[in-house]
Amino acid sequence: MALTLHGIGTAVPHGSITRDEAVALAEHVSGGDSRQTALLQRIHQRSGVRRRGSVLIADHGDDDSFLERVPFYGSTSPSTEERMDVFQRHAAALALKASSAALSESGVAVEAITHLITVCCTGFEAPGVDLALIERLGLRADVARTHVGFMGCHAALNGLRVARAFAEADADAVVLICCVELCSLHLQYGGDPEQVVANALFADGAAAVVASAQRSTSLPALVLETNGSTVIPRSAGLMHWRITDHGFSMGLSPQVPQTVAQALRPWLDDWLGAWDLSPASITSWAMHPGGPRILTACGEVLELSPEQLQTSRAVLHDHGNMSSATVLFILQRLRHSANPGPCLALAFGPGLCAEAALFRLIHG
């Protein structure tokens, strides 16, 4: 049974960091070694990110330096407890903003929501974001709750798979999916190259979807037809996401882009072939921009034109990598701008794993 996305809502924090400000913060957390400045500038320039949202930006006077506007990152690295305290103060509000927008666009009444799926890999608390959404949105007390946790950048697609399963089990199910990620809480101190790259990419954001098995009452519409997943053999050491004493630490090998790209084409050829499709027959692509090198490597192996990855690059440029929420930002833009036909969402994460969602984009 297909799952129709009736509404998509997105939200970013009020505060944001420009590329130059991100370099200043990177210099600060790397120990202020002036010899690293040129390297940090190159990494941030190549990141493809112009501006990123962060809940950590404090309001100060116009004459204050940027570092004074980010008091959370002082002379020592904050503890995981301190980082989770900030998560508890900010995550629910951002999730609420995205969910409210999705509900408003969908035209679905709050009391019609039967299932709530929350997605996050950057914070934990109980009661959590799901309970906050029930209370603040006014969802029914008997709404069925599911949490997709710590799966990384592809987790929105896992959430959509769960929603499709609910719709297959109950044709009357109406599902609210909300991804909220506060990646800026996990900036790492020191000069480890993998952490420096991660620091340059990740950002805060939330995105939500209202979906059901019912046909859309408004157009354009995205209809999820199927999901796919694959684990790339012998790649477990290339990417990790671990809880440490000072936040969540990412390991990101420079081999990731090429490893993903090499495995992607043969898997997609087989998986799409079962639907009488091929990469060449996909009208629009929502590829998660884990970084510019991922987009380039995957685009080359799939023989995609620059225009086919333009929306993914634009979201990275405007907002950074917001982990699980990012692919929903891309789908929101594609729904209103892409040509009708097959639309493929792709995202990658620790494992290495690739997740895919095949949509049909209907304009009329």
Side-chain angles (χ1 to χ4, degrees):
M1 183 178 293
L3 184 78
T4 298
L5 278 57
H6 300 291
I8 303 176
T10 59
V12 293
H14 173 71
S16 63
I17 304 173
T18 67
R19 183 181 293 159
D20 289 343
E21 290 168 340
V23 172
L25 183 58
E27 291 174 335
H28 170 67
V29 301
S30 66
D33 186 346
S34 60
R35 292 172 297 180
Q36 279 195 306
T37 299
L39 173 62
L40 292 172
Q41 288 175 337
R42 286 198 301 273
I43 289 173
H44 281 263
Q45 183 67 35
R46 294 171 182 171
S47 71
V49 181
R50 180 185 65 88
R51 182 179 291 272
R52 292 177 284 164
S54 173
V55 299
L56 297 172
I57 306 300
D59 291 328
H60 283 288
D62 293 338
D63 294 334
D64 292 329
S65 71
F66 171 71
L67 293 179
E68 290 176 309
R69 295 174 53 219
V70 197
F72 184 73
Y73 288 117
S75 58
T76 59
S77 178
S79 68
T80 299
E81 181 181 15
E82 291 171 321
R83 297 172 195 244
M84 290 302 94
D85 284 344
V86 177
F87 181 88
Q88 291 161 15
R89 293 200 302 272
H90 292 282
L94 202 60
L96 177 65
K97 186 176 179 181
S99 298
S100 297
L103 281 163
S104 176
E105 185 182 72
S106 72
V108 172
V110 171
E111 56 269 21
I113 300 297
T114 60
H115 295 73
L116 172 63
I117 301 171
T118 50
V119 179
C120 185
C121 70
T122 53
F124 296 99
E125 61 171 327
V129 169
D130 53 349
L131 274 297
L133 289 176
I134 291 172
E135 178 181 350
R136 299 183 196 183
L137 288 172
L139 298 177
R140 291 158 32 180
D142 64 350
V143 67
R145 295 177 296 128
T146 303
H147 182 64
V148 178
F150 221 66
M151 294 196 77
C153 292
H154 58 61
L157 303 186
N158 300 92
L160 285 166
R161 177 191 286 115
V162 174
R164 190 167 65 89
F166 288 150
E168 289 176 345
D170 179 1
D172 294 323
V174 182
V175 188
L176 171 62
I177 309 165
C178 183
C179 305
V180 58
E181 305 287 8
L182 305 186
C183 302
S184 71
L185 300 187
H186 300 293
L187 200 73
Q188 294 295 305
Y189 282 51
D192 178 83
E194 293 184 13
Q195 291 294 165
V196 168
V197 172
N199 288 351
L201 289 170
F202 286 92
D204 301 352
V209 171
V210 176
S212 77
Q214 305 304 312
R215 290 187 177 183
S216 179
T217 57
S218 62
L219 297 173
L222 277 167
V223 179
L224 174 61
E225 298 190 323
T226 190
N227 296 81
S229 181
T230 190
V231 178
I232 300 172
R234 299 176 295 280
S235 65
L238 300 184
M239 184 190 296
H240 70 251
W241 185 230
R242 296 171 183 158
I243 300 174
T244 73
D245 291 340
H246 296 279
F248 303 171
S249 171
M250 167 153 278
L252 193 62
S253 168
Q255 299 174 43
V256 167
Q258 199 56 40
T259 301
V260 169
Q262 288 174 351
L264 190 59
R265 184 61 186 260
W267 170 63
L268 273 185
D269 283 342
D270 288 344
W271 182 69
L272 288 172
W275 292 83
D276 294 324
L277 294 170
S278 68
S281 61
I282 299 299
T283 304
S284 53
W285 293 80
M287 190 176 296
H288 174 78
R293 290 183 59 215
I294 283 278
L295 291 176
T296 298
C298 293
E300 288 176 353
V301 76
L302 295 172
E303 301 178 70
L304 304 182
S305 68
E307 290 74 23
Q308 289 175 295
L309 293 177
Q310 182 178 358
T311 304
S312 293
R313 291 192 189 276
V315 169
L316 180 67
H317 179 266
D318 295 344
H319 299 294
N321 182 345
M322 299 166 287
S323 192
S324 67
T326 315
V327 73
L328 298 181
F329 275 71
I330 299 168
L331 286 171
Q332 183 189 48
R333 294 191 184 193
L334 285 175
R335 186 174 57 156
H336 296 286
S337 65
N339 294 323
C343 173
L344 189 65
L346 279 171
F348 317 101
L352 293 168
C353 298
E355 292 284 340
L358 179 62
F359 295 89
R360 185 171 71 255
L361 179 59
I362 304 171
H363 276 200

